[in-house]
Amino acid sequence: MDQLLAMKVFMRVADGGSFSKAAETLKLPKATVTRLVQRLEESLRMKLLIRTTRHVSLTDVGASYYERAARLLGELQGMEADIAGGHREARGRLRIDVAVVVANMLLIPALPSFQALYPAIEIDLGVSDRPIDMLGEGIDFVVRTGGANQDSTIARRVGELALTTCASPAYLAAHGQPSHPRELDEHHALVRFHSARTRRSYPFDFRRGQERFETFGQSRLSVNDSGAHLGAGLAGLGIIQAPTVAVREHLHAGRLVAVLPEWHCARVPVHLIYSSNLYLSGRHRAFADWVAEVLLDGLLADGALLATQAPVEARDGQRRGPPRPTPQPVSVIDTGDNRLDAMGLPHAAHRRSFARIADASRAGSAKGAGRAAASVEKISRA
């Protein structure tokens, strides 16, 4: 039996829910299609399909086999395309799961540019903050904020999100504006964000000069979805500490008000995570490069996100304020050792240029940020 052919036939039957449709699209006799699927089931000693007179559906085992077969065949097609095409055009299917705030505020708005650059790449995009079984669900890349927790994965920090402490005008009218973080322990309600995997709530973090204050405060509500977290703040349920990129428009519109603005928060890392066994084809390199550029655009826009290249161990599940990073954009996946590496640009020059961008952005100087960005472009051409 041709194992690869049998897998392709099985997947086509599952996609169409019919042996007849699969035979028609594959231009094979129906008897051949039926025989290949039967032999595949016999070799696995498992029933993959439930057959009725009107429809064919997957068993639980069949659904699991389908996901892994799709991944395997996709990787095979990717390798063939890379070799045959000489990396001229990235193509194929990518399955990605992205954190809610990163997807809604950064990646999805930028997707038209990716589709224009890579029209032959199909993206299957999941948006969630839940833990992902990358192998079991057949996911190529996961983009997450905070710590990277999965075993047998490679996690590269591709950016950092700034956080803003804020609340609704109605909440502040009822409870008052705190003057110091210690007041949050007694007189205010905090809406906490907790890990969907561990259920552990993250503390509110405040920094001013050499001072640092961390608190869980009083909370009557804790959520594990960034969209719900923002919604709770808008509804007046308490003070939230949320990504600046998510609350910026609400602050400008007056739907939210900054709380303790003279205190800043530790930035939250953004990771691009993938299996250590993943073959990095052209479409994978294209997506990873594009994601890094999208994160860099966030920095150039308003300083809400800082792109870095600092690696994080895949087993490190702690969400903590990282040391102040050396800003550098992550650009290219090196297929030699399966790692994301920074652009080949002078380290010191990049550090100075990105520092100027961040300083100008925080000071509200679009002109200064523009000059600094131009210097980065000049370095890139050198």
Side-chain angles (χ1 to χ4, degrees):
M1 178 184 65
D2 185 331
Q3 188 81 7
L4 289 177
L5 177 59
M7 291 170 63
K8 292 177 182 177
V9 169
F10 158 72
M11 291 177 62
R12 194 62 62 88
V13 172
D15 288 338
S18 166
F19 283 87
S20 299
K21 289 181 181 178
E24 182 179 348
T25 57
L26 292 169
K27 295 180 171 44
L28 291 173
K30 182 181 176 181
T32 301
V33 169
T34 302
R35 185 169 59 253
L36 283 169
V37 173
Q38 288 176 340
R39 289 181 178 176
L40 181 61
E41 290 179 318
E42 290 170 0
S43 70
L44 296 170
R45 297 182 182 179
M46 293 286 181
K47 193 173 184 64
L48 302 176
L49 297 171
I50 300 172
R51 302 159 174 84
T52 67
T53 55
R54 295 187 177 182
H55 191 67
V56 176
S57 60
L58 290 166
T59 65
D60 290 343
V61 173
S64 177
Y65 186 82
Y66 180 97
E67 293 292 343
R68 299 193 180 201
R71 183 180 181 87
L72 176 62
L73 292 175
E75 295 303 326
L76 179 61
Q77 291 170 0
M79 286 189 288
E80 291 174 347
D82 281 351
I83 294 171
H87 302 276
R88 287 191 298 271
E89 182 182 24
R91 61 174 58 249
R93 185 185 186 199
L94 284 175
R95 298 198 64 191
I96 302 152
D97 197 275
V98 183
V100 173
V101 66
V102 177
N104 291 336
M105 305 307 301
L106 295 169
L107 294 196
I108 291 177
L111 266 179
S113 67
F114 183 85
Q115 292 178 334
L117 286 170
Y118 307 104
I121 296 180
E122 175 189 355
I123 291 182
D124 184 347
L125 177 64
V127 179
S128 73
D129 292 320
R130 67 180 178 87
I132 296 292
D133 177 2
M134 298 187 70
L135 180 60
E137 299 180 44
I139 303 297
D140 295 292
F141 287 121
V142 170
V143 179
R144 286 291 183 269
T145 60
N149 302 299
Q150 296 195 31
D151 295 334
S152 303
T153 60
I154 294 173
R156 295 301 175 208
R157 185 181 297 179
V158 291
E160 293 180 338
L161 289 175
L163 298 181
T164 295
T165 309
C166 53
S168 72
Y171 173 86
L172 294 175
H175 299 274
Q177 174 79 258
S179 59
H180 191 279
R182 70 172 66 94
E183 296 179 23
L184 302 181
D185 287 335
E186 299 177 359
H187 307 300
H188 288 275
L190 306 184
V191 179
R192 297 178 188 157
F193 189 91
H194 67 259
S195 166
R197 183 181 67 88
T198 66
R199 310 294 296 179
R200 182 176 67 87
S201 292
Y202 300 127
F204 279 46
D205 178 89
F206 296 93
R207 303 176 184 207
R208 184 177 64 181
Q210 299 300 314
E211 296 181 81
R212 179 173 179 180
F213 190 88
E214 191 175 270
T215 181
F216 287 95
Q218 300 183 48
S219 175
R220 293 192 298 271
L221 177 65
S222 177
V223 299
N224 64 0
D225 176 270
S226 54
H229 191 231
L230 174 59
L234 290 168
L237 293 171
I239 297 173
I240 62 173
Q241 204 167 74
T244 303
V245 69
V247 302
R248 182 179 60 246
E249 291 185 6
H250 298 291
L251 291 168
H252 290 167
R255 293 185 290 270
L256 291 174
V257 178
V259 173
L260 299 169
E262 67 276 14
W263 293 75
H264 70 276
C265 314
R267 293 176 180 269
V268 177
V270 181
H271 296 115
L272 181 70
I273 305 167
Y274 58 98
S275 170
S276 58
N277 296 322
L278 177 65
Y279 169 75
L280 297 173
S281 67
R283 66 183 184 278
H284 296 105
R285 291 191 299 274
F287 179 77
D289 183 48
W290 176 78
V291 166
E293 291 179 0
V294 169
L295 299 186
L296 177 57
D297 286 343
L299 168 62
L300 297 179
D302 62 5
L305 184 148
L306 185 62
T308 73
Q309 67 162 0
V312 173
E313 293 298 327
R315 297 172 187 260
D316 181 3
Q318 299 298 315
R319 179 186 185 273
R320 53 182 177 266
R324 189 169 184 85
T326 300
Q328 277 190 305
V330 177
S331 179
V332 179
I333 292 180
D334 179 353
T335 56
D337 58 3
N338 279 359
R339 292 185 300 178
L340 292 172
D341 293 332
M343 280 192 278
L345 299 175
H347 177 80
H350 245 248
R351 183 172 65 244
R352 290 192 297 271
S353 296
F354 275 90
R356 288 199 298 273
I357 293 173
D359 291 342
S361 297
R362 285 192 291 270
S365 171
K367 187 174 181 180
R371 285 198 299 268
S375 70
V376 174
E377 183 177 1
K378 184 177 180 180
I379 293 170
S380 302
R381 291 172 179 162

